[in-house]
Amino acid sequence: MPCPTLSLLSPLSLSLVVFLQKERRLLENRRLDLDACKARLKKAKIAEAKAAAIPDFQETRSRNYVLSASASALWSEEVDKADHELRVAQTEFDRQAEVTRLLLEGISSTHVNHLRCLHEFVEAQATYYAQSHQYMQDLQKQLGRFPNTFVNTNPTPVPGGSSPSSAATLPVQPSSSPLDTGTLSIEEVQPPATGTRKAKVLYDYDAADTSELSLLADELITVYTVPGMDPDWLVGERGNQKGKVPVTYLELLS
């Protein structure tokens, strides 16, 4: 994890250093231009003073070209030109010096403001994460009051070799299966003359007691109902075997 000093404070320091170096180079260039103009003016004034004591002259050059002029007048013009360049360079130097001074003052105030904002940001983040931590602790305590509400998502093996997909759709077994026919036992129940049907077993079912009939998936049995019987149950027969079976485990065929 990167250090906060490197990720937040170092970029600011680096940008300030780069900015100050750029302004320093500009100011140094203006100073060099000013020094060069001062040297040029000084040289022109010295030459003008020397030329003032010398009379007019003629300078003969190649190709019979003769240049006649007053040396004093020439150097006077050179002095004026150098003086003008000096004033321009001085103006540029003063302007750059003032700009640099203002920028340095602005950097100082900006640096202070940045540190203040960074301090406020850090405090806000610390408060936010502290509150989040507290909220999570409170939520954890509240969830701890309901330990039995969590659902186990692991698949439970189904007796009889049924696949997990079949277990996912396995219907809920009725909680009770009374015949509600007084003291009539399952062995005494007789099939009606009409109303018997064939049914296909959808899932394996293990009998809970002797009044129920165990089932195997995909087998065919005969089913029927009797008066007063729970509608979630039917009486099933398979050969000589007879017992109550849950309706939700069957697919009625006829």
Side-chain angles (χ1 to χ4, degrees), residues 19-86:
F19 179 78
L20 292 176
Q21 289 178 348
K22 177 181 177 181
E23 294 302 320
R24 180 181 178 182
R25 286 195 298 268
L26 289 175
L27 189 59
E28 287 181 351
N29 291 337
R30 295 291 184 268
R31 183 184 61 81
L32 292 175
D33 292 342
L34 180 61
D35 292 343
C37 291
K38 288 180 178 179
R40 190 179 301 113
L41 178 61
K42 182 178 180 180
K43 180 179 179 181
K45 287 184 177 180
I46 293 174
E48 182 185 24
K50 290 181 179 180
I54 301 175
D56 295 346
F57 70 96
Q58 289 185 346
E59 182 182 352
T60 305
R61 297 183 179 180
S62 59
R63 299 181 182 178
N64 299 323
Y65 177 79
V66 179
L67 176 62
S68 300
S70 171
S72 178
L74 290 175
W75 283 113
S76 178
E77 181 181 354
E78 184 67 21
V79 169
D80 293 340
K81 182 178 179 181
D83 185 64
H84 175 71
E85 292 178 353
L86 176 61

Side-chain angles (χ1 to χ4, degrees), residues 132-152:
S132 299
H133 180 67
Q134 185 62 42
Y135 292 155
M136 291 301 101
Q137 286 185 329
D138 294 342
L139 180 59
Q140 186 178 28
K141 292 179 181 179
Q142 294 178 7
L143 292 177
R145 300 173 185 174
F146 309 101
N148 297 326
T149 59
F150 299 101
V151 180
N152 183 13

Side-chain angles (χ1 to χ4, degrees), residues 96-97 101 103 123 136 141 151 156 184 211 220 228 242:
Q96 183 60 37
R101 183 184 66 82
L103 289 176
E123 285 188 345
M136 291 301 101
K141 292 179 181 179
V151 180
T156 303
L184 183 65
S211 66
L220 296 178
K242 181 190 301 183

Side-chain angles (χ1 to χ4, degrees), residues 105-171:
E105 293 178 355
I107 287 176
S108 179
S109 61
T110 301
H111 181 67
V112 173
N113 185 62
H114 174 81
L115 292 179
R116 179 181 59 82
C117 293
L118 183 60
H119 180 71
E120 294 176 355
F121 171 75
V122 171
E123 285 188 345
Q125 289 294 304
T127 302
Y128 169 76
Y129 286 111
Q131 291 178 349
S132 299
H133 180 67
Q134 185 62 42
Y135 292 155
M136 291 301 101
Q137 286 185 329
D138 294 342
L139 180 59
Q140 186 178 28
K141 292 179 181 179
Q142 294 178 7
L143 292 177
R145 300 173 185 174
F146 309 101
N148 297 326
T149 59
F150 299 101
V151 180
N152 183 13
T153 57
N154 295 327
T156 303
V158 180
S162 300
S163 63
S165 59
S166 299
T169 58
L170 190 65

